[in-house]
Amino acid sequence: MKRFIRFLFFSGFITYFMSCSTTKFVKENEYLLDKVKITVEDDKIKTGDIKPYLRQEPNFKIFGILKWPLYVYNWSGKNDNNWLNKQLRRIGESPEIMDTMLIDQSRSQVEQYMINKGYLHSQVTSAIDTSKRKKATVTYHIIPNEPYRINNYKTSVDDPKIDSIIHLKPPTISWYKALFRSVNEEYTSLVKKENLFDRDILDKERQRITSLLRHHGYYAFNRDYINFLADSTKRNYVDLEMFIKPVQVARSEGIIEESLHRPYYINRVSIVTDYDPLNINDKFTPVDSVLIDDVWIYYGKKKQSIRPNVLKRRSYFNSGELYDEWNVQQTYSAFSALRALRHVNIKYHEFEENDTLKLDCTILTAPAKTQNFGIDIEGTNSDGDLGFATSLNYQHRNLFKGSEVFSSKIKGAYESLSANKESGLGNYWEFAGEASILFPTFVFPFASEQFRRNIRATTELKLSYNQQRRPEYQRAILAGGWSYIWQERVNSLARHTFKLLDVNYVYLPRINQEFKDSLPANIALYNYSNQFIVSTGYVYSFNNYDPLKRERNTYSLRLGIELAGNVLYGLSRLFGADKDENGRYKLFGINYSQYIKGDVDFARSIIIDERNSFAFHIGGGIGYPYGNRKEMPFERTYFSGGANSNRGWSIRSLGPGSMPIDENTTFVNQVGDIRFDMNIEYRSKLFWKFETAAFVDAGNIWTVRAYEHQPKGNFDLTRFYKEIAMSYGLGLRLDFDYFLIRFDTGLKAYNPQEKGSKKWAITRPNLHDNFAWHFAVGYPF
């Protein structure tokens, strides 16, 4: 009966909501632009590519279904001075009134788009349907007709040097440049026979040739010198000719002469520190100067704030060589990587000497603030247990005058554990400290200076200590690592991290005996005893998200692998070390872990229009213990449920597999060695900074072996697909461009840890045992 009443209430609300007139503020003889349709008589032409050229579109639909902002606007009354009416109109969206002038402009824009794509004889018509009261539907109908294609393509260049560069084959370059520079793309023409006569492709070809020439010394060359001549007298075919205009040089008495383009050579290279980009009238006066390998370094009032060799190593200009734009890009990138600098600019002085054009290059650098402090305070909510955390941060960006970044943090946290209030056992406390030094170079014994300059990696040394105090136990974790981090030079969105050494020492000075006795033997042995982990690993990540270019599709990829204990195990066997009663080797009296672990995650966001997008994520991972270890260490296991996982479950409350949940189940049992996650979201902007999302999540975790304390928790090919949990829900977000605050609510749809028909939680939605809410920062993927 309660469900029936709720259904009636919900149905009544939706009926009232939908009954709100969308034409409330549409005047007589006006029409609300209700729909816009695009029809094309060619399946190869995508309507999504044409939509951006329309000058007028209907009111925004949330999730592509409801014109919610228009409904909110129409909830306002006729009184323009009423405060509530003003707020509703500010939040909502005024009705989009059909404008025939904008329709004509849209038709013209689409026609021009079709011509640019090679459909020179395309026809675009528009039709208006006003059969619905005060509502109009506009249809744009496109007849592409036969497109024009490229028949012959030739280049007519009077300058033999430039002509030879344009027709060069891809050169053989050093291995490190091959990693960072796509040479084949630079030397391969984009204009090909039988391709569409696409003007956008011709623009890209202009840019390709311009970049190619600027890589070979032609500093003053730009794309405006390149023209294409098209002969379209043949039916549906174009003969295309590319030619390069000469340079126009003004001589005395107003005479303008034409001359060939000439290459430039690098002459003098200088680096200026203490440059102030905001004070252009203040002339820089150096107080010190240093000459290193034909590179002059000028220091200002702060004198040698950065060592000369550090600055010189970042310059890719060499005196006497041809100008190369690739060297410019690498110089900018190298100097920008120095955290002790906040601004970098390169200025050139052109002059002619002995019939040779030359460039004096001056690299201007402005120092960043050397030190900064920060205090962070945050609230926490772990499955209903409230708490807070605070941290004190300190950073020094130029520790040894080589732009080394020293970072440190001291953190304290407290959490009230509701499960222990009645027993009075206490709450959760955490004290932590960490320190790291980031060197802006590749630090390794015997590595040559040239190798360090070519690979241009950063080196991170990190140490941390963390002490956790719970009613059941007290645990201390001491960790340290040595890592190398580098980005691809041309594709700076790709990031590589190689962990040469990662050491974790876990020490338990206290554990409640009653709690220990309640644990399964394997859990107590492997997860609640002193542990030693020595590992190495590699992570590749790519993310093309740019907060300044949010209108484009984005994707991210992360691949990771970690190996632990193999070297120690090999040394233990080589030197005949003794095993303990459990058949395990020890290091410093502590059993060390041995395993291999791999992860992969892929996410993609597809822009539907300026206010709607679709995103999905798929990921998985597996950890396999062997040799000196029968189970993965607790710190390296997977968990499921939470704000970035399956959001129908609270954090660490799902899995593994279809293991039944009872009153004795704790987070200790709900870990696994295998994970699978899949998420999809439809995101819609509402108003101001608010946006909403509808999502569906699926996934679970499993163990690689069958354990008595985790019945049906292992991965089994005959049943794993029946153990993929599913949930759905809605989210509300506040998007401040550079960070996002997220509130998601999830409902279980399919729960593999239930039995029979109870598995299908979607048939009995409720806000008690089938509901979870999450507060987080940033998108889930």
Side-chain angles (χ1 to χ4, degrees):
M1 186 64 183
K2 290 182 178 179
R3 290 185 183 179
F4 180 70
I5 293 174
R6 285 199 295 264
F7 174 76
L8 288 179
F9 176 79
F10 180 75
S11 301
F13 175 78
I14 293 297
T15 302
Y16 168 76
F17 184 79
M18 296 295 292
S19 65
C20 296
S21 173
T22 56
T23 60
K24 178 178 179 180
F25 289 98
V26 178
K27 301 176 182 178
E28 289 297 327
N29 300 321
E30 289 184 344
Y31 294 94
L32 175 72
L33 185 60
D34 190 42
K35 295 179 182 178
V36 172
K37 299 178 181 178
I38 301 174
T39 59
V40 186
E41 294 186 5
D42 189 338
D43 295 336
K44 297 179 182 178
I45 300 174
K46 299 178 181 179
T47 58
D49 295 334
I50 298 173
K51 271 192 172 184
Y53 295 90
L54 301 182
R55 300 295 303 275
Q56 189 179 32
E57 293 192 57
N59 287 95
F60 164 67
K61 290 183 178 180
I62 183 173
F63 301 136
I65 301 173
L66 294 174
K67 295 182 179 180
W68 185 84
L70 178 58
Y71 292 146
V72 173
Y73 186 94
N74 287 337
W75 287 346
S76 66
K78 299 290 186 179
N79 187 354
D80 296 338
N81 297 321
N82 183 275
W83 179 86
L84 179 59
N85 292 341
K86 289 181 179 180
Q87 298 308 309
L88 290 172
R89 293 180 186 182
R90 186 177 64 87
I91 294 173
E93 183 181 64
S94 61
E96 186 68 36
I97 306 300
M98 184 191 69
D99 189 331
T100 55
M101 183 178 295
L102 292 178
I103 293 173
D104 289 339
Q105 291 177 5
S106 298
R107 183 177 51 78
S108 299
Q109 292 281 346
V110 174
E111 278 182 353
Q112 188 59 50
Y113 167 80
M114 296 297 295
I115 292 172
N116 289 343
K117 290 299 178 182
Y119 296 88
L120 304 186
H121 299 306
S122 62
Q123 296 174 294
V124 181
T125 59
S126 59
I128 302 173
D129 180 6
T130 57
S131 57
K132 292 184 179 180
R133 184 177 181 275
K134 288 191 174 184
K135 292 182 180 181
T137 299
V138 178
T139 303
Y140 296 93
H141 184 64
I142 303 171
I143 304 175
N145 293 318
E146 193 69 22
Y148 275 73
R149 298 183 179 274
I150 297 173
N151 181 38
N152 294 312
Y153 174 60
K154 68 176 182 177
T155 58
S156 299
V157 181
D158 295 332
D159 189 333
K161 289 184 179 179
I162 290 182
D163 188 62
S164 64
I165 293 173
I166 292 175
H167 292 93
L168 278 175
K169 293 183 179 179
T172 301
I173 61 175
S174 58
W175 65 270
Y176 65 90
K177 283 190 177 181
L179 290 174
F180 308 123
R181 186 174 179 181
S182 181
V183 175
N184 287 330
E185 291 183 4
E186 296 177 12
Y187 288 83
T188 304
S189 175
L190 301 175
V191 181
K192 294 179 172 42
K193 189 172 182 176
E194 293 298 328
N195 279 6
L196 287 175
F197 178 45
D198 190 332
R199 298 185 185 182
D200 293 332
I201 297 297
L202 298 186
D203 284 340
K204 291 180 181 178
E205 178 70 358
R206 281 192 182 94
Q207 187 58 50
R208 184 193 70 83
I209 295 173
T210 300
S211 298
L212 186 61
L213 292 175
R214 288 176 66 87
H215 287 320
H216 288 79
Y218 290 87
Y219 162 76
F221 193 89
N222 62 68
R223 54 183 290 161
D224 294 334
Y225 287 112
I226 301 174
N227 281 343
F228 290 95
L229 181 64
D231 181 2
S232 59
T233 56
K234 295 181 181 179
R235 179 177 175 82
N236 298 326
Y237 275 97
V238 168
D239 288 330
L240 200 61
E241 180 181 3
M242 186 276 291
F243 61 93
I244 294 178
K245 296 186 295 184
V247 180
Q248 293 186 338
V249 181
R251 301 298 184 185
S252 58
E253 299 179 358
I255 300 175
I256 296 180
E257 297 180 355
E258 293 185 347
S259 66
L260 298 176
H261 295 270
R262 299 166 62 189
Y264 285 73
Y265 289 83
I266 302 299
N267 183 51
R268 179 187 173 104
V269 181
S270 306
I271 301 173
V272 175
T273 65
D274 297 336
Y275 166 70
D276 187 357
L278 300 179
N279 193 357
I280 59 177
N281 297 321
D282 186 12
K283 187 177 180 180
F284 176 78
T285 303
V287 298
D288 191 11
S289 63
V290 179
L291 177 64
I292 303 180
D293 298 334
D294 296 328
V295 176
W296 280 98
I297 302 174
Y298 297 101
Y299 291 96
K301 297 177 182 178
K302 295 185 178 181
K303 298 185 178 180
Q304 293 193 18
S305 55
I306 300 179
R307 299 193 303 272
N309 64 323
V310 174
L311 295 171
K312 192 271 172 187
R313 195 162 52 234
R314 264 67 189 173
S315 172
Y316 285 77
F317 296 112
N318 294 311
S319 181
E321 290 187 355
L322 277 172
Y323 170 85
D324 187 343
E325 195 170 51
W326 190 79
N327 291 335
V328 179
Q329 296 168 0
Q330 301 319 303
T331 300
Y332 268 117
S333 182
F335 274 91
S336 298
L338 296 178
R339 301 280 293 276
L341 303 176
R342 64 179 174 88
H343 179 83
V344 179
N345 190 24
I346 302 176
K347 288 188 176 182
Y348 304 95
H349 172 63
E350 306 174 40
F351 65 97
E352 186 173 356
E353 184 179 73
N354 299 327
D355 294 329
T356 301
L357 293 177
K358 295 185 178 182
L359 288 172
D360 282 341
C361 305
T362 304
I363 304 170
L364 304 171
T365 68
K369 187 177 180 181
T370 304
Q371 303 180 65
N372 67 281
F373 296 85
I375 298 177
D376 296 329
I377 300 176
E378 60 183 278
T380 61
N381 182 353
S382 301
D383 197 15
D385 294 333
L386 301 179
F388 69 91
T390 182
S391 62
L392 176 65
N393 310 295
Y394 169 74
Q395 187 177 78
H396 193 298
R397 294 189 177 93
N398 196 20
L399 188 63
F400 304 122
K401 292 189 176 182
S403 194
E404 301 89 356
V405 180
F406 172 77
S407 302
S408 62
K409 176 191 286 188
I410 299 175
K411 178 183 177 181
Y414 166 82
E415 189 173 288
S416 175
L417 301 179
S418 57
N420 293 283
K421 288 180 179 178
E422 295 182 3
S423 62
L425 290 177
N427 295 304
Y428 171 78
W429 292 88
E430 179 181 352
F431 306 96
E434 64 179 57
S436 67
I437 299 179
L438 188 67
F439 299 92
T441 186
F442 183 83
V443 179
F444 194 81
F446 314 115
S448 68
E449 184 67 25
Q450 185 62 31
F451 176 80
R452 297 183 187 188
R453 186 171 184 266
N454 292 338
I455 195 170
R456 212 176 72 213
T458 58
T459 306
E460 183 180 41
L461 173 63
K462 191 172 185 178
L463 295 171
S464 66
Y465 176 78
N466 183 288
Q467 186 177 108
Q468 303 166 0
R469 296 182 180 180
R470 292 181 62 94
E472 303 89 350
Y473 61 84
Q474 181 179 342
R475 178 164 58 181
I477 303 173
L478 180 64
W482 187 274
S483 303
Y484 298 103
I485 306 161
W486 70 95
Q487 291 178 308
E488 296 182 8
R489 296 189 183 178
V490 172
N491 182 11
S492 61
L493 303 175
R495 179 184 175 93
H496 306 262
T497 303
F498 174 61
K499 296 182 179 179
L500 179 65
L501 182 66
D502 191 17
V503 181
N504 286 264
Y505 169 55
V506 182
Y507 171 61
L508 275 81
R510 177 186 62 81
I511 183 169
N512 183 277
Q513 191 61 42
E514 183 180 348
F515 171 73
K516 187 175 182 180
D517 294 340
S518 68
L519 296 174
N522 280 2
I523 292 289
L525 176 64
Y526 290 105
N527 294 334
Y528 285 89
S529 61
N530 297 340
Q531 304 289 333
F532 201 77
I533 304 171
V534 181
S535 65
T536 184
Y538 167 78
V539 176
Y540 169 83
S541 59
F542 177 90
N543 192 333
N544 70 338
Y545 173 76
D546 186 346
L548 300 178
K549 299 178 181 179
R550 317 189 90 190
E551 69 282 355
R552 70 178 183 183
N553 297 339
T554 62
Y555 67 94
S556 64
L557 174 67
R558 185 184 184 277
L559 303 171
I561 186 169
E562 182 181 9
L563 296 165
N566 295 316
V567 175
L568 295 178
Y569 190 79
L571 292 175
S572 298
R573 295 195 61 178
L574 180 65
F575 293 103
D578 295 329
K579 294 184 178 180
D580 62 10
E581 65 276 9
N582 296 307
R584 300 191 299 167
Y585 293 114
K586 290 186 176 182
L587 180 67
F588 306 126
I590 302 172
N591 297 120
Y592 59 84
S593 299
Q594 188 176 9
Y595 61 86
I596 182 172
K597 183 181 180 184
D599 289 274
V600 57
D601 286 276
F602 177 79
R604 182 160 176 76
S605 176
I606 302 171
I607 302 298
I608 299 174
D609 55 44
E610 61 181 6
R611 300 182 70 171
N612 290 281
S613 63
F614 174 79
F616 68 89
H617 161 258
I618 186 168
I622 180 170
Y624 184 76
Y626 59 93
N628 209 49
R629 188 87 185 193
K630 301 302 180 184
E631 288 192 22
M632 292 287 291
F634 185 79
E635 291 75 16
R636 296 297 194 270
T637 54
Y638 298 112
F639 65 88
S640 190
N644 299 320
S645 180
N646 208 320
R647 284 166 282 184
W649 281 259
S650 56
I651 190 169
R652 295 181 179 270
S653 64
L654 172 60
S658 54
M659 182 186 76
I661 304 298
D662 55 36
E663 64 275 4
N664 297 319
T665 303
T666 67
F667 69 92
V668 175
N669 304 79
Q670 294 192 277
V671 294
D673 312 313
I674 301 172
R675 73 173 174 93
F676 170 73
D677 294 298
M678 187 165 62
N679 319 82
I680 58 174
E681 277 195 355
Y682 192 105
R683 299 166 181 167
S684 244
K685 295 189 180 297
L686 294 176
F687 59 91
W688 191 51
K689 301 292 184 180
F690 285 96
E691 68 175 50
T692 185
F695 59 83
V696 176
D697 298 330
N700 206 338
I701 54 174
W702 295 266
T703 59
V704 294
R705 299 186 178 98
Y707 302 113
E708 291 184 3
H709 62 278
Q710 292 174 310
K712 293 185 178 181
N714 64 304
F715 184 86
D716 190 324
L717 285 173
T718 62
R719 57 177 168 82
F720 85 93
Y721 60 92
K722 301 176 184 177
E723 297 171 337
I724 298 177
M726 295 183 65
S727 63
Y728 61 98
L730 296 173
L732 183 66
R733 287 90 189 265
L734 261 173
D735 186 358
F736 293 101
D737 295 335
Y738 287 95
F739 74 97
L740 178 138
I741 300 174
R742 173 166 54 97
F743 178 74
D744 290 339
T745 58
L747 286 163
K748 297 180 179 67
Y750 176 76
N751 187 356
Q753 294 174 299
E754 295 285 0
K755 296 180 179 179
S757 61
K758 288 187 177 181
K759 290 177 180 287
W760 295 99
I762 194 171
T763 61
R764 49 184 181 85
N766 63 75
L767 301 182
H768 179 54
D769 56 341
N770 286 336
F771 174 80
W773 61 273
H774 311 277
F775 183 79
V777 176
Y779 284 114
F781 52 87

